[in-house]
Amino acid sequence: MAQYSAEISRRRTFAIISHPDAGKTTLTEKLLLFGGAIHVAGAVKSNKIKKTATSDWMEIEKQRGISVATSVMAFDYADHKINILDTPGHQDFAEDTFRTLTAVDSVIIVIDIAKGVEAQTRKLMEVCRMRKTPVIVFVNKMDRDGKDPFDLLDEIEEELHIKVRPLSWPIDMGQRFRGVYNIYEQKLNLYTPSKQYVTENVEFKDINSPDLEHYIDPAQAAKLREDVEMIEGVYPAFDVDTYLAGDIAPVFFGSALNNFGVKELLDCFINIAPSPRPVQALERKVDPYEDNFTGFVFKIHANMDPNHRSCIAFVKICSGRFERNANYKHVRFGKMMRFSSPTAFMAQKKEVVDEAFAGDIVGLPDTGNFKIGDTLTAGEELHFKGLPSFSPEMFKYIENADPMKAKQLNKGIEQLMDEGVAQLFVNQFNGRKIIGTVGQLQFEVIQYRLLHEYGAQCKWEPISLYKACWIESDNQQALDNFKRRKQQYMALDKEGRDVYLADSSYVLMMAQQDFPDIKFHFTSEF
Ligand code: G4P
């Protein structure tokens, strides 16, 4: 038995993901209230950048400031240590969210009952599916009118490609919303709109009992019985293992704003959500209960203040115990390092910690030693696998606008890419650098940061590209032939891998047809 097993097994590290506006911030805040981490509503700032303010630098700086403070929110609840990892609200920073998902053991997805499954949820769920991350769905805003719950469940299954199992069921919605029947705990959670919280919590093993009519009106009782019978008939009994395997998502209904159904979600969550799970490294699988510390950097947060060029590297502890001032190996450098002021985030306060355990996140102040994906160990030569890069959606040539500052520009580009701000491709035909992003905002952030942190000026030039595809083939001759034929469109990514830059979906389709021996991948790991 490992030394720290009690500490490790009580940890629950997860992220809440949603399409903007579904209620992620509100739900986070309510969870923190239960944990006593905050005491008043409104304490958690939304890290959304207002949609209209795409070029408002103050706004972006503010957002970055906030997101450092709320990067990890930790609190104790019912003998468990909960670590909520924050994800950026703005879709232009989706890459950040993808990477954060490499550091969590499970996920809660928030869906708006009226809007159903939206674009960003779909994308984030893809990453969860790839990693087999267990997910719980919270259907929010039941105090508003929305889709029929059964239709919504079908939509979730279809759009998110995951089987669902309702663990609570709404009694009406909108103005007539009366609460939920908690199938998991066999309790009736009643709601009075004016009171805005769970007004009654009644043990109710058998909803066929005529007692039900004491609590809700006969029409609603009849409908609830019918619905629950249907659920038991259509959906398999809930099995924790299928949830943990990432095959079934339990679904809860509630209203985060009204604090309705949130405690019930949290109580079920701490019971069924996984404690830290084993993590696959290149060399072997690492068990969280191993005595020796291991961890990896999943996020780097630069200080935007040019007078203090420093970063925080966020490390997810994969095994054992991390200790302040101990010597740990920075595997990529092959050298030992000591960290004298690691920080953790407890109850929204950032503080220096002496120790942390598998499942926790520590922030290490850094001056450019870390890249995303770097591994730290007690001495072992180990490489955790990061998240693959996805093909960016937008591309631009980056050019130097100040010939005296070429060196600064190159250094700036390199460091920003290490931080994971965007992806760099170097065209092998003309040597030009191409930056790929998921949104326009990232180009603006890069330009701003190059100027303010590196004193370098860049300008963007248009390039019309559809996708970046990582290519491979067992047939070296076919590969060489393809690269020769597509010379002008061949680039190398930052790791030196071959990337084909397709300028339209048609051209890509033709290439796939004409070169059957070449495999085209839309992510960098295959
Ligand atoms: P996000 O982080 O996922 O982007 O969403 P956020 O929590 O900021 O919520 C988006 C909007 O939805 C907010 O309103 C919030 O008050 C509202 N909301 C959240 N949960 C519920 C719910 O259960 N019922 C109802 N009716 N509304 C809910 P807003 O007007 O955009 O912002 P605010 O001015 O109220 O903060």
Side-chain angles (χ1 to χ4, degrees):
M1 198 62 173
Q3 261 176 296
Y4 316 114
S5 61
E7 276 299 339
I8 296 169
S9 61
R10 73 184 192 97
R11 276 160 167 76
R12 300 284 181 276
T13 303
F14 73 107
I16 303 178
I17 57 178
S18 73
H19 192 85
D21 276 346
K24 178 169 74 77
T25 310
T26 313
L27 179 64
T28 305
E29 177 168 295
K30 297 294 143 88
L31 293 174
L32 293 179
L33 280 168
F34 282 117
I38 53 169
H39 300 285
V40 284
V44 178
K45 305 278 183 313
S46 167
N47 66 2
K48 270 183 278 184
I49 297 175
K50 292 269 178 293
K51 285 155 203 115
T52 49
T54 44
S55 307
D56 182 342
W57 295 113
M58 288 319 291
E59 202 54 45
I60 289 181
E61 283 211 47
K62 245 194 295 178
Q63 125 111 20
R64 293 177 55 85
I66 291 164
S67 70
V68 124
T70 60
S71 277
V72 188
M73 289 163 279
F75 60 90
D76 281 307
Y77 178 79
D79 289 338
H80 288 80
K81 163 119 190 260
I82 316 270
N83 294 312
I84 307 182
L85 271 56
D86 194 28
T87 54
H90 198 288
Q91 63 178 22
D92 285 10
F93 297 106
E95 288 272 337
D96 267 10
T97 305
F98 295 155
R99 278 191 296 264
T100 298
L101 293 179
T102 63
V104 300
D105 297 301
S106 72
V107 153
I108 294 180
I109 297 181
V110 183
I111 291 177
D112 181 330
I113 181 75
K115 303 227 178 95
V117 176
E118 295 173 88
Q120 202 160 332
T121 321
R122 219 170 284 136
K123 230 170 147 176
L124 294 170
M125 183 62 209
E126 248 173 66
V127 179
C128 296
R129 256 202 328 273
M130 269 170 62
R131 305 181 58 83
K132 290 267 171 202
T133 310
V135 304
I136 296 181
V137 175
F138 182 73
V139 179
N140 192 26
K141 307 198 185 180
M142 293 308 298
D143 59 318
R144 291 219 185 134
D145 283 315
K147 302 189 177 200
D148 173 79
F150 281 112
D151 289 349
L152 182 65
L153 294 184
D154 287 348
E155 184 179 324
I156 295 172
E157 291 204 329
E158 218 162 274
E159 302 254 337
L160 299 183
H161 305 283
I162 185 160
K163 294 253 167 278
V164 296
R165 174 58 161 102
L167 288 188
S168 80
W169 196 253
I171 304 166
D172 241 325
M173 64 173 72
Q175 295 278 335
R176 301 166 316 282
F177 182 53
R178 190 64 188 99
V180 299
Y181 178 62
N182 187 327
I183 302 172
Y184 181 69
E185 292 181 354
Q186 298 189 307
K187 278 184 181 157
L188 196 59
N189 305 144
L190 295 178
Y191 170 79
T192 315
S194 60
K195 295 270 174 52
Q196 304 205 325
Y197 52 84
V198 177
T199 45
E200 264 184 280
N201 213 329
V202 195
E203 190 94 15
F204 226 100
K205 296 246 179 279
D206 179 14
I207 54 164
N208 287 316
S209 145
D211 284 351
L212 187 60
E213 274 83 351
H214 289 157
Y215 297 99
I216 57 181
D217 82 39
Q220 290 181 324
K223 176 82 167 69
L224 178 64
R225 290 188 183 112
E226 194 184 303
D227 285 355
V228 172
E229 192 184 328
M230 175 111 142
I231 291 166
E232 304 299 346
V234 171
Y235 297 99
F238 176 61
D239 167 22
V240 179
D241 291 333
T242 52
Y243 155 69
L244 291 173
D247 293 329
I248 277 206
V251 180
F252 285 84
F253 291 83
S255 166
L257 187 64
N258 296 306
N259 208 349
F260 187 87
V262 178
K263 182 170 184 298
E264 292 68 22
L265 172 75
L266 181 58
D267 287 338
C268 174
F269 173 82
I270 56 170
N271 271 327
I272 67 170
S275 52
R277 307 205 297 170
V279 186
Q280 185 68 47
L282 217 54
E283 293 81 359
R284 66 185 185 88
K285 205 174 222 174
V286 176
D287 190 88
Y289 297 97
E290 291 175 14
D291 287 336
N292 285 334
F293 159 77
T294 62
F296 68 90
V297 176
F298 68 95
K299 169 170 169 159
I300 291 177
H301 211 296
N303 188 341
M304 291 266 277
D305 180 349
N307 300 320
H308 304 95
R309 249 216 69 78
S310 66
C311 307
I312 297 181
F314 289 86
V315 175
K316 161 79 187 272
I317 303 177
C318 299
S319 67
R321 171 172 167 264
F322 173 92
E323 208 181 325
R324 183 160 84 99
N325 280 326
N327 275 306
Y328 293 123
K329 183 173 182 179
H330 185 313
V331 175
R332 184 168 53 89
F333 285 176
K335 72 169 190 198
M336 301 303 276
M337 292 175 81
R338 250 159 46 103
F339 303 97
S340 58
S341 43
T343 50
F345 306 79
M346 207 51 196
Q348 289 218 296
K349 277 203 297 287
K350 195 172 121 203
E351 51 194 38
V352 172
V353 287
D354 290 324
E355 60 173 13
F357 297 91
D360 287 337
I361 311 297
V362 287
L364 304 178
D366 175 44
T367 47
N369 284 317
F370 287 115
K371 272 210 266 201
I372 286 194
D374 276 346
T375 301
L376 282 175
T377 68
E380 189 180 348
E381 186 71 14
L382 199 69
H383 300 82
F384 285 109
K385 292 195 203 165
L387 186 75
S389 306
F390 293 83
S391 173
E393 313 273 331
M394 297 175 126
F395 302 85
K396 284 182 186 179
Y397 281 122
I398 185 164
E399 297 293 345
N400 188 5
D402 179 354
M404 306 297 290
K405 299 282 173 65
K407 244 168 112 178
Q408 284 87 334
L409 183 74
N410 286 336
K411 180 165 174 236
I413 294 177
E414 183 162 333
Q415 289 196 350
L416 293 184
M417 298 307 130
D418 282 351
E419 230 179 78
V421 175
Q423 293 180 57
L424 173 71
F425 304 99
V426 181
N427 187 312
Q428 293 305 287
F429 187 67
N430 56 21
R432 293 178 77 181
K433 287 183 172 152
I434 299 163
I435 302 285
T437 69
V438 290
Q440 176 60 28
L441 200 49
Q442 283 167 288
F443 291 114
E444 299 175 28
V445 171
I446 291 169
Q447 192 163 21
Y448 180 86
R449 291 190 56 192
L450 285 172
L451 183 63
H452 287 83
E453 294 171 32
Y454 299 90
Q457 288 190 49
C458 76
K459 60 176 192 272
W460 301 109
E461 282 179 19
I463 174 171
S464 165
L465 288 179
Y466 165 67
K467 278 253 168 3
C469 312
W470 284 264
I471 57 164
E472 63 159 352
S473 177
D474 301 332
N475 180 342
Q476 187 59 41
Q477 208 179 348
L479 197 62
D480 291 343
N481 181 32
F482 179 83
K483 280 160 62 174
R484 206 168 35 246
R485 290 271 299 279
K486 297 285 182 188
Q487 231 179 82
Q488 294 181 26
Y489 298 95
M490 290 309 302
L492 292 180
D493 74 1
K494 223 178 153 274
E495 314 302 327
R497 289 171 294 213
D498 281 324
V499 176
Y500 166 55
L501 304 168
D503 53 358
S504 73
S505 62
Y506 177 75
V507 167
L508 177 60
M509 197 181 71
M510 293 309 288
Q512 284 167 322
Q513 249 176 40
D514 294 348
F515 298 90
D517 287 343
I518 307 283
K519 290 199 193 92
F520 298 80
H521 302 279
F522 299 106
T523 65
S524 66
E525 243 171 48
F526 25 85

